[in-house]
Amino acid sequence: MGGLQKKKYERGSATNYITRNKARKKLQLSLADFRRLCILKGIYPHEPKHKKKVNKGSTAPRTFYLLKDIRFLLHEPIVRKFREYKVFVRKLRKAYGKAEWTAVERLRDNKPGYKLDHIIKERYPTFIDALRDIDDALSMCFLFSTFARTGKCHVQTITLCRRLTVEWMNYVVTSRSLRKVFISIKGIYYQAEVLGQLITWLVPYQFAHDHPTDVDYRVMATFTEMYTTLFGFINFRLYQTLNLVYPPKLDSKAESELKAEHEEDYAMDSESYLEKLSALSASLARVVATAEEEEENQLDQFPADGEDLENMEAREKEQKEQEAQNRLFEGLKFFLNREVPRESLAFILRCFGAEVSWDKSLCIGGTYNVTDETITHQIVDRPDIDKQYINRYYIQPQWVFDSVNAKMRLPVEDYFLGVTLPPHLSPFVEEKDGDYVPPEKLKLMALQRGEKHEEEEDDDDDDDDEEYNDEVDDEDLTEEKNLKKMEDQRSQGKQTLAVKVTPGKVKPWETGSVGNKVRLEKEEKAEEKRLAIMMMKKKEKYLYDKIMFGKKRTTREANKLAAKRKAHEDTSKAEKKQKKAKKQ
Amino acid sequence: PLFIPLAQSDMKDYKHLDIRNTVGNVPMEWYQDYPHIGYNLDGKKIFKPIRNKDELDEFLDKMENPDYWRTVHDKTTASDIRLTDEQVDLVHRLQKGQFGDVNFNEYEPSVDFFTNEVMIHPVTNRPQDKRSFIPSLIEKEKVSKLVHAIKMGWIKPRKPKETTPQYYDLWAKEDPNAILGRHKMHVPAPKMRLPGHEESYNPPPEYLLTEEERLVWEQQDAEDRKLPFLPQKHSCLRAVPAFSRFIHERFERCLDLYLCPRQRKMRVNVNPEDLIPKLPKPKDLQPFPTTMSLVYRGHTSLVRSISASPTGQWLVSGSDDFTVRFWEVNTGRCMKTLEVGGAVKSVAWNPNPAVCLVAVCFERTVLLLNPSLGDRLVVSSTDQLITAYEPPEEDKEQAVTWALSEGLEHNMGHRLTLTHPKAVKQVVWHGKGDYLSSVMPDNSSNLQVLIHQVSKRRTQNPFRKNKGLVQCVSFHPLRPYFFVATQRYVRVYNLIKQELTKKLMTNCKWISSMAIHPGGDNLICGSYDCRLAWFDLDLSTKPYKMLRHHKKALRGVAYHRNYPLFASGADDGSVIVCHGMVYNDLLQNPLIVPVKVLKGHQITHDLGVLDVTFHPTQPWVFSSGADTTIRLFT
């Protein structure tokens, strides 16, 4: 019995984890501060593999953090700042209580603050890391910038968020990196490709928020604090890469143009400047004045062979497509009516090289009037408009979004005023084989491939597509069914043979034509497969069953959607016919 | 209470009445239960009016009294007071927020305390104090204190405000290798899911929910919903409302980011086709039975057991309809039907081609029959073999009584009758054809397995101990080994050394049947929990392979004598034939490939195939089923 007795839970995984409360005590922080610290430092709980072991035998639900993470927090200089702030608040309260106003003033002057720069640097050692993680920051800042400047959070935060988002939009416009846009019921999604990273963000519609009561705004504010810091640094860096002045300044030409008008509407210069920036109608000033045109950086040609060559060609093709998309609206002149969301449309149109203007009373920064004869498109979101110019298209805003996603200017006829709009599809969905593809998407793909599309054949086409779909989806099922049926038939056939002896009758499908041979072969293959499945190991069988179950589910869902579509189309057709009949 | 300034004239009769209540400003509810409501100046009680006004009086008053609107009830005196015109006026003025006094002028011109004109002369002509010319001592003291504090370093100058800009190039000197230790463990947060078509403001019509789907969606808990929102269609962008849960969703994302444990989950990205093992094609493994070619009909109840003659010409079957039938294999003709006195549990044809004997067991009897089929010589030599028995000198006490059949029974083919003490379930021949074993499953005694020697009419009980309920037994085809399958184990005994050589763990719940490979080194076990275990006796006592290809309980398994085939029949009505190649090379594991699923038997009373057996020479398999038929697959 030599040696020390081993104690339980003193080694192994029990020592790697620490509960939240213990961590809090170790750091000597209140729960709110601990939360804040975790948010800022990006510390999240861990789920131990053996919960019971870590929990010292108890099965009570607890949150566990890695002990290493908590130790790492111990050395965080911000923890000291938190404590200092706590002390400051205490002193201030005391001074207030004693009505020592000089002391209050002195304390206020020396209010401890903290910076998050080092945390950002530590969390994102490289710029690309930071850029990869910016999705949430963008969405959050866009949300905060739409808040009313009352109550829910500091006004400075809101203005800062607004400033940063405007900077971001200006950057995207200048770098022309917007790729996809999508109007959802939640808001408008944008996707940009910045330095090779796909960044997606969601902007809410411009309405006053109905602030929910069950949301902890302190948590949101802490996140926003972190995000604004990160976002600012990223903006700075991005502006630097494009040789733009940061904080952004308008081009001197544009500035002089804008100067004359509307200056007197704004109380402060800074305010009007932000508004001008957010109008997105003018280009930004550069550090080094370059020629207007962006330098065309051609891919260098490397001698390559085989696969590399293919890759290269593909890349080149992609780049060409990209460039074409970037010049999608180049040379077009848009005018936005007052009922359309100005900011998002101006942003998108500017991203693809169009000129945009709007009514002067709507926002600062409009460069031309409705009466301008050179306007090519006017975006209107009302059923009809009184005075129409003959040399421009009046279209609904969805055309812009759909065109961007299709990477081509779609035919404007479907988007005229008062026309029932075609469905707006999500550009983020990439259908794999077996998934349901809406017929609109098929049509669009055909258009992109450059196929001409006749209106007359339209309806029939749809049906065909669907049927084709159905067939594809059902193929497996039907195949199996067929096989089963055949086997049944065969066994029955044998039975009958055994009972009444009728020799000399050869079943046609046993020695028959080519089609039968093919079918027989198929049958054989299926049987082989079924037999092989029998020999699978238990584990693999389980996995296989799971995969097949998933596949079947997807096909089932796709079938359901297809059926729904068919039903819908049938009813709409019937309605049309009825209408026609009535007319006649 | 409303204070009402009374006019001079009123005052008089007020005094005259002298009903002033002296209780003071107390809630009058306190006097609810008393007959009085207070005291007058003389300390006398003021009594309540005798009759209180009820609702009806009130109403009548309201209707009839023109001054009702200006009548006020005074609680302290319990009387109604009619307000005078001045009083009504006052009330109106107060309601409007005006001053109470009619005569008060709120816009009187203000009179400054001091004139705004600068006067030449001071207001007072007092000379200034001396102390206004000399420096203050108190101030001096204060300043000197501050100076001292500064000298001592107690007071520090104000820190200059930081001048670094808010944002700068943070990653100017980025070092991609400067990754902290903890970043190894760091799992970056997954990105938000990208929206699909159903989230569009104008989705294709198939993505909108139907009425029923919407109802279901509404009734589901928020966690169970497939979509966190209801798809909606708006005719134009102008009509799209704000999303009411926007802030919620952002907040939930925040919570996810800092409260959710993160874990890397390896998603298995495997082509399901790759999971299917690559097996040789069944086509290349021919011959094996592929089609049902004959059905032997005749039995009227389920056929428990079948056995083929060693020549392959005859087939014997035992059924629950108390008969044993002999069939010609090639024609399907029933050659003979023998009535026996009970449901036949098991039949076994003697594997020795020189002997024509069939063992049949029912109830407590094992019957040895000579079916008199086939070669006459063999038939007669068999009869001779049985009659040539000479009883030994000492008559030993045996567990079984041997009886020779005579007369009618002899004509029917009965030769020997072995009457057991208990019900017999199975009979098995030894490969040589002289020994015969019978199984009497019984949990409580050691008398479960008996080995009989036909030529000497001797019976032995090989086991002293009860090791569990015996399911079936079998002889080793070449060596003197004896296999006994209990519920979960198969024990291999050496009959010569009389010891246990091996105990095979089947990992099954309940063994139903067992078959030994003609080579003797492999064994298959079927079990009621749908498994078939293949044992390689040289390899291990655990199954080399577990096959779970039947959907229901296995009832019978069999090896082919020459071909590398084995078959299993189960309650799902199918017979699965597998290719089971055993190599002479000990290093090479047996190859097991299922080659055919044979279907034909109908499932009756949840029973499908009850027994399978192979043709001794051809790659044919017989199966007997609960649907009273026997089928031949070739």
Side-chain angles (χ1 to χ4, degrees), chain B residues 384-442:
Chain B
Q384 268 178 16
L385 194 88
I386 286 173
T387 47
Y389 167 73
E390 285 167 16
E393 291 90 56
E394 306 173 35
D395 214 5
K396 255 207 247 168
E397 189 67 25
Q398 297 206 53
V400 168
T401 51
W402 292 72
L404 196 64
S405 309
E406 276 160 1
L408 193 66
E409 282 185 346
H410 188 271
N411 288 346
M412 275 166 68
H414 294 208
R415 291 295 177 267
L416 282 169
T417 311
L418 287 77
T419 314
H420 286 64
K422 281 174 281 192
V424 185
K425 194 188 160 200
Q426 193 208 1
V427 280
V428 166
W429 286 100
H430 182 250
K432 293 267 167 57
D434 193 20
Y435 287 95
L436 168 80
S437 175
S438 58
V439 180
M440 302 170 283
D442 179 11

Coordinates of all heavy atoms in Angstrom, one line a residue, chain B residues 384-442:
Chain B
Q384 N -30.5 -55.7 -42.6 CA -29.6 -56.7 -42.0 C -28.8 -56.2 -40.9 O -28.6 -56.8 -39.8 CB -28.7 -57.2 -43.1 CG -29.2 -58.4 -43.8 CD -28.3 -58.9 -44.9 OE1 -27.1 -58.5 -44.9 NE2 -28.8 -59.7 -45.8
L385 N -28.3 -55.0 -41.1 CA -27.5 -54.3 -40.1 C -28.2 -54.2 -38.8 O -27.7 -54.5 -37.7 CB -27.1 -52.9 -40.6 CG -26.0 -52.2 -39.8 CD1 -24.6 -52.6 -40.4 CD2 -26.2 -50.7 -39.8
I386 N -29.5 -53.9 -38.9 CA -30.3 -53.7 -37.7 C -30.6 -55.1 -37.0 O -30.5 -55.2 -35.8 CB -31.5 -52.9 -38.0 CG1 -31.1 -51.5 -38.2 CG2 -32.5 -53.0 -36.8 CD1 -32.2 -50.6 -38.7
T387 N -30.9 -56.0 -37.8 CA -31.2 -57.3 -37.3 C -30.0 -58.1 -36.8 O -30.1 -59.0 -35.9 CB -32.0 -58.2 -38.3 OG1 -31.2 -58.1 -39.5 CG2 -33.4 -57.7 -38.5
A388 N -28.8 -57.7 -37.3 CA -27.6 -58.4 -36.9 C -27.2 -58.1 -35.4 O -26.2 -58.6 -35.0 CB -26.5 -58.1 -37.8
Y389 N -28.0 -57.3 -34.8 CA -27.6 -56.9 -33.4 C -27.7 -58.1 -32.5 O -28.7 -58.8 -32.5 CB -28.5 -55.8 -33.0 CG -28.4 -55.5 -31.5 CD1 -27.3 -54.9 -30.9 CD2 -29.5 -55.8 -30.7 CE1 -27.2 -54.6 -29.6 CE2 -29.4 -55.6 -29.3 CZ -28.3 -55.0 -28.8 OH -28.2 -54.7 -27.4
E390 N -26.6 -58.3 -31.7 CA -26.7 -59.3 -30.6 C -26.7 -58.6 -29.3 O -25.7 -57.9 -29.0 CB -25.5 -60.3 -30.8 CG -25.7 -61.2 -31.9 CD -24.4 -61.9 -32.2 OE1 -23.5 -61.9 -31.4 OE2 -24.3 -62.4 -33.3
P391 N -27.6 -58.9 -28.5 CA -27.6 -58.2 -27.1 C -26.4 -58.6 -26.3 O -26.0 -59.8 -26.4 CB -28.9 -58.7 -26.5 CG -29.4 -59.8 -27.3 CD -28.8 -59.8 -28.6
P392 N -25.8 -57.7 -25.7 CA -24.6 -58.1 -24.9 C -25.0 -58.9 -23.7 O -26.1 -59.0 -23.3 CB -24.1 -56.7 -24.4 CG -25.2 -55.8 -24.5 CD -26.2 -56.4 -25.5
E393 N -23.9 -59.5 -23.0 CA -24.2 -60.4 -21.9 C -24.8 -59.6 -20.7 O -25.8 -60.0 -20.2 CB -22.9 -61.1 -21.5 CG -22.3 -62.1 -22.5 CD -21.4 -61.4 -23.5 OE1 -20.4 -60.8 -23.1 OE2 -21.7 -61.5 -24.7
E394 N -24.0 -58.6 -20.4 CA -24.6 -57.8 -19.3 C -25.5 -56.8 -19.8 O -25.2 -56.0 -20.7 CB -23.5 -57.1 -18.5 CG -22.3 -57.9 -18.1 CD -21.2 -57.0 -17.5 OE1 -21.5 -56.0 -16.8 OE2 -20.1 -57.4 -17.7
D395 N -26.7 -56.7 -19.3 CA -27.6 -55.7 -19.7 C -27.5 -54.5 -18.8 O -27.8 -54.5 -17.6 CB -29.1 -56.3 -19.6 CG -29.9 -55.7 -20.7 OD1 -29.3 -55.0 -21.6 OD2 -31.1 -56.0 -20.7
K396 N -26.9 -53.5 -19.4 CA -26.7 -52.2 -18.6 C -28.0 -51.4 -18.6 O -28.8 -51.4 -19.5 CB -25.6 -51.4 -19.3 CG -24.3 -51.5 -18.5 CD -23.5 -50.3 -18.7 CE -22.2 -50.6 -19.6 NZ -21.5 -49.4 -20.0
E397 N -28.1 -50.7 -17.5 CA -29.2 -49.8 -17.3 C -29.0 -48.6 -18.3 O -27.9 -48.0 -18.2 CB -29.3 -49.3 -15.9 CG -30.5 -48.5 -15.6 CD -31.8 -49.3 -15.7 OE1 -31.8 -50.6 -15.5 OE2 -32.9 -48.7 -15.9
Q398 N -29.9 -48.3 -19.2 CA -29.7 -47.2 -20.1 C -30.8 -46.2 -19.9 O -31.9 -46.5 -19.4 CB -29.8 -47.8 -21.6 CG -28.7 -48.7 -21.9 CD -28.4 -48.8 -23.3 OE1 -28.1 -47.8 -23.9 NE2 -28.4 -50.0 -23.9
A399 N -30.4 -45.0 -20.4 CA -31.4 -43.9 -20.2 C -32.6 -44.0 -21.2 O -33.6 -43.4 -21.0 CB -30.7 -42.5 -20.4
V400 N -32.3 -44.8 -22.2 CA -33.3 -44.9 -23.3 C -33.6 -46.3 -23.5 O -32.8 -47.2 -23.3 CB -32.7 -44.3 -24.5 CG1 -33.5 -44.6 -25.8 CG2 -32.5 -42.8 -24.4
T401 N -34.9 -46.6 -23.8 CA -35.2 -48.0 -24.1 C -35.3 -48.1 -25.6 O -35.9 -47.4 -26.3 CB -36.6 -48.3 -23.5 OG1 -37.5 -47.3 -24.0 CG2 -36.7 -48.3 -22.0
W402 N -34.5 -49.1 -26.0 CA -34.5 -49.4 -27.4 C -35.5 -50.5 -27.7 O -35.6 -51.5 -27.0 CB -33.1 -50.0 -27.8 CG -32.0 -49.0 -27.7 CD1 -31.4 -48.5 -26.6 CD2 -31.3 -48.4 -28.8 NE1 -30.5 -47.5 -26.9 CE2 -30.3 -47.5 -28.3 CE3 -31.4 -48.5 -30.2 CZ2 -29.5 -46.7 -29.0 CZ3 -30.5 -47.7 -30.9 CH2 -29.6 -46.8 -30.4
A403 N -36.3 -50.3 -28.7 CA -37.3 -51.3 -29.1 C -37.2 -51.6 -30.6 O -37.2 -50.6 -31.4 CB -38.6 -50.9 -28.6
L404 N -37.3 -52.8 -30.9 CA -37.3 -53.2 -32.4 C -38.7 -53.2 -32.8 O -39.6 -53.8 -32.1 CB -36.6 -54.6 -32.5 CG -36.2 -54.9 -33.9 CD1 -35.2 -54.0 -34.5 CD2 -35.7 -56.4 -33.9
S405 N -39.0 -52.7 -34.0 CA -40.4 -52.7 -34.5 C -40.7 -54.0 -35.2 O -39.8 -54.5 -35.9 CB -40.7 -51.5 -35.4 OG -40.2 -50.3 -34.8
E406 N -41.9 -54.4 -35.1 CA -42.2 -55.6 -35.8 C -43.6 -55.5 -36.4 O -44.4 -54.6 -36.0 CB -42.2 -56.8 -34.9 CG -40.8 -57.4 -34.7 CD -40.6 -58.2 -33.5 OE1 -41.5 -58.4 -32.7 OE2 -39.4 -58.7 -33.3
G407 N -43.9 -56.4 -37.3 CA -45.3 -56.5 -37.8 C -45.6 -55.3 -38.7 O -44.8 -54.9 -39.6
L408 N -46.7 -54.7 -38.4 CA -47.3 -53.6 -39.2 C -46.3 -52.5 -39.3 O -46.0 -51.9 -40.3 CB -48.6 -53.2 -38.7 CG -49.4 -52.3 -39.6 CD1 -49.8 -53.0 -40.8 CD2 -50.6 -51.7 -38.8
E409 N -45.8 -52.2 -38.1 CA -44.9 -51.0 -38.0 C -43.6 -51.3 -38.9 O -43.1 -50.4 -39.5 CB -44.5 -50.8 -36.6 CG -45.6 -50.1 -35.8 CD -45.1 -49.7 -34.4 OE1 -44.1 -50.3 -33.9 OE2 -45.8 -48.9 -33.8
H410 N -43.2 -52.5 -38.8 CA -42.0 -52.9 -39.6 C -42.3 -52.7 -41.1 O -41.5 -52.2 -41.9 CB -41.6 -54.3 -39.4 CG -40.3 -54.7 -40.0 ND1 -40.3 -55.2 -41.3 CD2 -39.0 -54.6 -39.6 CE1 -39.0 -55.4 -41.6 NE2 -38.2 -55.1 -40.6
N411 N -43.5 -53.0 -41.5 CA -43.9 -52.9 -42.9 C -43.9 -51.4 -43.2 O -43.6 -51.0 -44.4 CB -45.2 -53.5 -43.2 CG -45.1 -55.0 -43.1 OD1 -44.0 -55.5 -43.2 ND2 -46.2 -55.7 -43.1
M412 N -44.3 -50.6 -42.3 CA -44.4 -49.2 -42.6 C -43.0 -48.6 -42.7 O -42.8 -47.5 -43.2 CB -45.1 -48.5 -41.5 CG -46.7 -48.5 -41.7 SD -47.5 -48.0 -40.2 CE -47.0 -46.3 -40.0
G413 N -42.0 -49.3 -42.2 CA -40.7 -48.8 -42.3 C -40.0 -48.5 -40.9 O -38.8 -48.3 -40.9
H414 N -40.7 -48.6 -39.9 CA -40.1 -48.4 -38.5 C -39.1 -49.5 -38.3 O -39.4 -50.7 -38.6 CB -41.2 -48.5 -37.5 CG -42.2 -47.3 -37.6 ND1 -42.9 -46.9 -36.5 CD2 -42.6 -46.6 -38.6 CE1 -43.7 -45.9 -36.9 NE2 -43.5 -45.7 -38.2
R415 N -38.0 -49.1 -37.8 CA -37.0 -50.2 -37.5 C -36.8 -50.2 -36.0 O -36.9 -51.2 -35.3 CB -35.7 -49.9 -38.2 CG -35.9 -50.2 -39.7 CD -36.2 -51.6 -40.1 NE -36.4 -51.8 -41.5 CZ -37.6 -51.8 -42.1 NH1 -38.7 -51.6 -41.4 NH2 -37.6 -52.0 -43.4
L416 N -36.3 -49.0 -35.5 CA -36.0 -49.0 -34.0 C -36.7 -47.8 -33.4 O -36.9 -46.8 -34.0 CB -34.5 -48.8 -33.9 CG -33.6 -50.0 -34.1 CD1 -32.2 -49.6 -34.1 CD2 -33.8 -51.0 -32.9
T417 N -37.1 -48.0 -32.2 CA -37.8 -46.9 -31.5 C -37.0 -46.7 -30.2 O -36.8 -47.6 -29.4 CB -39.2 -47.3 -31.1 OG1 -39.8 -47.8 -32.3 CG2 -40.0 -46.1 -30.6
L418 N -36.6 -45.4 -30.0 CA -35.8 -45.1 -28.8 C -36.8 -44.2 -28.0 O -37.1 -43.1 -28.4 CB -34.6 -44.3 -29.2 CG -33.4 -45.1 -29.8 CD1 -33.7 -45.4 -31.3 CD2 -32.1 -44.3 -29.7
T419 N -37.2 -44.7 -26.9 CA -38.1 -43.9 -26.0 C -37.3 -43.2 -25.0 O -36.6 -43.8 -24.2 CB -39.1 -44.8 -25.4 OG1 -39.6 -45.7 -26.4 CG2 -40.2 -44.0 -24.8
H420 N -37.3 -41.8 -25.1 CA -36.5 -41.0 -24.2 C -37.4 -40.6 -22.9 O -38.6 -40.7 -23.0 CB -36.1 -39.7 -24.9 CG -35.0 -39.9 -25.9 ND1 -35.2 -40.7 -27.0 CD2 -33.8 -39.5 -26.0 CE1 -34.1 -40.7 -27.7 NE2 -33.2 -40.0 -27.1
P421 N -36.7 -40.3 -21.9 CA -37.4 -39.8 -20.7 C -38.1 -38.5 -20.9 O -39.1 -38.1 -20.2 CB -36.4 -39.7 -19.6 CG -35.1 -39.6 -20.3 CD -35.2 -40.3 -21.6
K422 N -37.6 -37.7 -21.8 CA -38.2 -36.3 -22.0 C -38.4 -36.1 -23.5 O -38.0 -36.9 -24.3 CB -37.2 -35.3 -21.4 CG -37.3 -35.2 -19.9 CD -36.3 -34.2 -19.4 CE -34.9 -34.9 -19.3 NZ -33.9 -34.2 -18.6
A423 N -39.1 -35.0 -23.8 CA -39.4 -34.6 -25.2 C -38.1 -34.3 -25.9 O -37.2 -33.6 -25.4 CB -40.3 -33.4 -25.2
V424 N -38.0 -34.9 -27.1 CA -36.7 -34.7 -27.9 C -37.0 -33.6 -28.9 O -38.0 -33.5 -29.5 CB -36.4 -36.0 -28.6 CG1 -35.1 -35.9 -29.3 CG2 -36.3 -37.2 -27.6
K425 N -35.9 -32.8 -29.0 CA -36.1 -31.7 -30.0 C -35.3 -31.9 -31.2 O -35.7 -31.4 -32.3 CB -35.5 -30.4 -29.3 CG -36.0 -29.1 -30.0 CD -35.3 -28.0 -29.4 CE -35.3 -26.8 -30.4 NZ -34.2 -25.9 -30.0
Q426 N -34.2 -32.5 -31.1 CA -33.3 -32.6 -32.3 C -32.6 -33.9 -32.4 O -32.2 -34.5 -31.3 CB -32.3 -31.5 -32.3 CG -31.6 -31.3 -33.6 CD -30.2 -30.7 -33.4 OE1 -29.8 -30.4 -32.3 NE2 -29.5 -30.5 -34.5
V427 N -32.4 -34.5 -33.6 CA -31.5 -35.6 -33.8 C -30.5 -35.3 -34.8 O -30.8 -34.5 -35.7 CB -32.3 -36.9 -34.2 CG1 -33.0 -37.6 -33.1 CG2 -33.3 -36.5 -35.3
V428 N -29.3 -35.8 -34.6 CA -28.2 -35.5 -35.5 C -27.4 -36.7 -35.7 O -27.1 -37.5 -34.7 CB -27.3 -34.4 -34.8 CG1 -26.0 -34.3 -35.6 CG2 -28.0 -33.0 -34.9
W429 N -27.0 -37.0 -36.9 CA -26.1 -38.1 -37.1 C -24.7 -37.7 -37.1 O -24.3 -36.6 -37.5 CB -26.4 -38.7 -38.5 CG -27.7 -39.5 -38.6 CD1 -28.9 -39.0 -39.1 CD2 -27.9 -40.8 -38.2 NE1 -29.9 -40.0 -39.0 CE2 -29.3 -41.1 -38.5 CE3 -27.2 -41.8 -37.7 CZ2 -29.9 -42.3 -38.2 CZ3 -27.7 -43.0 -37.4 CH2 -29.1 -43.3 -37.7
H430 N -23.9 -38.7 -36.8 CA -22.4 -38.5 -36.9 C -22.1 -38.8 -38.4 O -22.9 -39.5 -39.1 CB -21.7 -39.5 -36.0 CG -20.2 -39.3 -36.1 ND1 -19.4 -40.3 -36.7 CD2 -19.4 -38.3 -35.7 CE1 -18.1 -39.9 -36.7 NE2 -18.1 -38.7 -36.1
G431 N -21.0 -38.2 -38.9 CA -20.7 -38.4 -40.3 C -20.6 -39.8 -40.8 O -20.9 -40.2 -41.9
K432 N -20.1 -40.7 -39.9 CA -20.0 -42.1 -40.3 C -21.3 -42.8 -40.3 O -21.5 -43.9 -40.9 CB -19.1 -42.8 -39.2 CG -17.7 -42.3 -39.3 CD -16.8 -43.2 -40.2 CE -15.5 -42.5 -40.5 NZ -14.7 -42.2 -39.3
G433 N -22.3 -42.3 -39.6 CA -23.6 -42.9 -39.7 C -23.9 -43.9 -38.7 O -25.0 -44.5 -38.7
D434 N -23.0 -44.1 -37.7 CA -23.3 -45.1 -36.7 C -23.8 -44.5 -35.4 O -24.6 -45.0 -34.7 CB -22.0 -45.9 -36.4 CG -22.3 -47.2 -35.6 OD1 -23.5 -47.6 -35.6 OD2 -21.4 -47.7 -35.0
Y435 N -23.3 -43.3 -35.2 CA -23.7 -42.6 -34.0 C -24.8 -41.6 -34.2 O -24.9 -41.1 -35.4 CB -22.5 -41.9 -33.4 CG -21.5 -42.8 -32.7 CD1 -20.4 -43.2 -33.5 CD2 -21.6 -43.2 -31.4 CE1 -19.5 -44.1 -32.9 CE2 -20.7 -44.1 -30.9 CZ -19.6 -44.5 -31.6 OH -18.7 -45.4 -31.0
L436 N -25.5 -41.3 -33.2 CA -26.7 -40.5 -33.4 C -26.8 -39.7 -32.1 O -26.6 -40.3 -31.0 CB -27.9 -41.4 -33.6 CG -29.3 -40.8 -33.5 CD1 -29.6 -40.1 -34.9 CD2 -30.3 -41.9 -33.4
S437 N -27.1 -38.5 -32.2 CA -27.3 -37.7 -30.9 C -28.6 -37.1 -30.9 O -29.2 -36.7 -31.9 CB -26.2 -36.6 -30.9 OG -26.4 -35.8 -29.7
S438 N -29.2 -37.1 -29.7 CA -30.5 -36.5 -29.5 C -30.5 -35.4 -28.4 O -29.8 -35.6 -27.5 CB -31.6 -37.5 -29.2 OG -31.2 -38.2 -28.1
V439 N -31.3 -34.4 -28.6 CA -31.3 -33.3 -27.6 C -32.6 -33.2 -26.9 O -33.7 -33.2 -27.6 CB -31.0 -32.0 -28.4 CG1 -31.0 -30.8 -27.4 CG2 -29.7 -32.0 -29.1
M440 N -32.6 -33.2 -25.6 CA -33.8 -33.0 -24.8 C -33.6 -31.7 -24.0 O -33.1 -31.8 -22.9 CB -34.0 -34.2 -23.9 CG -34.1 -35.5 -24.7 SD -34.1 -36.9 -23.5 CE -32.4 -36.9 -23.1
P441 N -34.0 -30.6 -24.5 CA -33.7 -29.4 -23.7 C -34.4 -29.4 -22.4 O -35.6 -29.6 -22.4 CB -34.2 -28.3 -24.7 CG -34.9 -28.9 -25.8 CD -34.7 -30.3 -25.7
D442 N -33.7 -29.1 -21.4 CA -34.2 -29.1 -20.0 C -33.3 -28.3 -19.2 O -32.1 -28.6 -19.1 CB -34.4 -30.5 -19.5 CG -35.0 -30.5 -18.1 OD1 -35.4 -29.4 -17.7 OD2 -35.0 -31.5 -17.5

